[in-house]
Amino acid sequence: AQTVTQSQPEMSVQEAETVTLSCTYDTSENNYYLFWYKQPPSRQMILVIRQEAYKQQNATENRFSVNFQKAAKSFSLKISDSQLGDTAMYFCAFMKHVNSGGGADGLTFGKGTHLIIQP
Amino acid sequence: EPEVTQTPSHQVTQMGQEVILRCVPISNHLYFYWYRQILGQKVEFLVSFYNNEISEKSEIFDDQFSVERPDGSNFTLKIRSTKLEDSAMYFCASRAWGEGARDEKLFFGSGTQLSVL
């Protein structure tokens, strides 16, 4: 079974600063995906960024980027030029490739990091 | 972007009553899921569904829970006799076929907040 660990329950930074959220995971799989989901107070689950394990290049989406270290099983999220609207819970999640049974298991989530952007 | 639709957005029920939570997954998706999130806690997997049957279920998904895809579009979660501890946000999600799918990810609905009194 997979596990996902987010060791920072809460983080607070000033607007416009850069912040990095940590995530580590444990798996014996070689083919999988990693995700960061944002959950604002509305509790909608919003996909922020996605990384395919077989790709060495780190994923980026505008102000959001990841540092994927496969050997270390680490997947951190960096938010640049943070904005007040970035205030939310952020969940790191793991999913096996469907050919490894990922379709059945779906996502395994970490406990989340509550990110607060201060004005 | 296509959406997963969940109804109702909020359901209040008395302990011991049956509830049915409804979801309309994205039309060409093949995997369907229910997740649960108790307030302030992480999102927990309940069950996955593929090819009209349950693929996998967690320890949470005991005999009081059931899922159905009654008409090829809706995907429902039934809780037969609700308990206070069933109060949570319930998320439905769907996923396209894995091999060759352009976007290998789960699409989430906006959730149903279930309150058991």
Side-chain angles (χ1 to χ4, degrees):
Chain A
Q2 287 63 234
T3 58
V4 177
T5 303
Q6 294 179 249
S7 58
Q8 304 151 312
E10 185 169 291
M11 295 188 71
S12 179
V13 298
Q14 296 294 120
E15 193 176 6
E17 289 184 347
T18 294
V19 60
T20 299
L21 308 184
S22 301
C23 173
T24 58
Y25 60 95
D26 189 25
T27 184
S28 57
E29 300 290 331
N30 192 50
N31 199 3
Y32 52 88
Y33 304 90
L34 294 162
F35 305 86
W36 279 97
Y37 279 88
K38 172 184 178 181
Q39 189 179 45
S42 66
R43 300 187 73 185
Q44 174 83 32
M45 295 294 287
I46 301 166
L47 178 64
V48 174
I49 200 164
R50 165 180 170 267
Q51 175 78 42
E52 295 154 23
Y54 65 87
K55 288 187 177 179
Q56 291 187 332
Q57 186 174 8
N58 290 322
T60 62
E61 287 286 343
N62 301 313
R63 297 184 295 109
F64 299 87
S65 61
V66 297
N67 183 3
F68 173 48
Q69 302 289 328
K70 190 173 183 180
K73 294 179 182 167
S74 170
F75 183 62
S76 60
L77 174 70
K78 185 170 84 171
I79 306 174
S80 303
D81 186 27
S82 56
Q83 300 174 358
L84 297 178
D86 295 333
T87 293
M89 282 293 291
Y90 286 81
F91 291 97
C92 179
F94 172 101
M95 183 168 74
K96 291 191 291 188
H97 191 280
V98 69
N99 289 340
S100 304
D105 293 353
L107 287 165
T108 300
F109 286 90
K111 290 186 176 181
T113 296
H114 184 206
L115 176 64
I116 300 168
I117 309 298
Q118 305 276 8
Chain B
E1 184 165 80
E3 288 186 347
V4 175
T5 305
Q6 286 188 246
T7 55
S9 58
H10 199 158
Q11 174 97 43
V12 181
T13 189
Q14 295 290 326
M15 189 170 58
Q17 295 296 306
E18 175 183 286
V19 295
I20 297 176
L21 310 183
R22 291 184 166 79
C23 169
V24 180
I26 295 169
S27 61
N28 62 343
H29 283 189
L30 298 178
Y31 288 98
F32 312 113
Y33 309 85
W34 284 101
Y35 289 84
R36 178 181 84 174
Q37 186 186 30
I38 295 170
L39 186 64
Q41 298 187 22
K42 72 175 184 179
V43 181
E44 300 173 293
F45 170 76
L46 290 178
V47 66
S48 61
F49 193 86
Y50 170 71
N51 201 24
N52 287 319
E53 61 182 21
I54 290 174
S55 295
E56 193 70 42
K57 57 185 180 179
S58 70
E59 293 174 352
I60 303 168
F61 194 88
D62 61 22
D63 290 345
Q64 70 163 340
F65 291 93
S66 63
V67 289
E68 269 191 334
R69 190 160 159 79
D71 57 11
S73 61
N74 291 286
F75 179 50
T76 61
L77 174 68
K78 182 192 290 186
I79 309 175
R80 287 189 185 82
S81 178
T82 50
K83 305 170 190 169
L84 295 176
E85 54 265 36
D86 293 328
S87 293
M89 179 74 89
Y90 288 81
F91 291 103
C92 173
S94 69
R95 176 183 177 184
W97 177 248
E99 192 68 49
R102 273 192 313 120
D103 279 308
E104 187 58 86
K105 64 182 181 183
L106 265 64
F107 291 77
F108 281 86
S110 55
T112 294
Q113 176 62 51
L114 176 65
S115 300
V116 182
L117 305 178

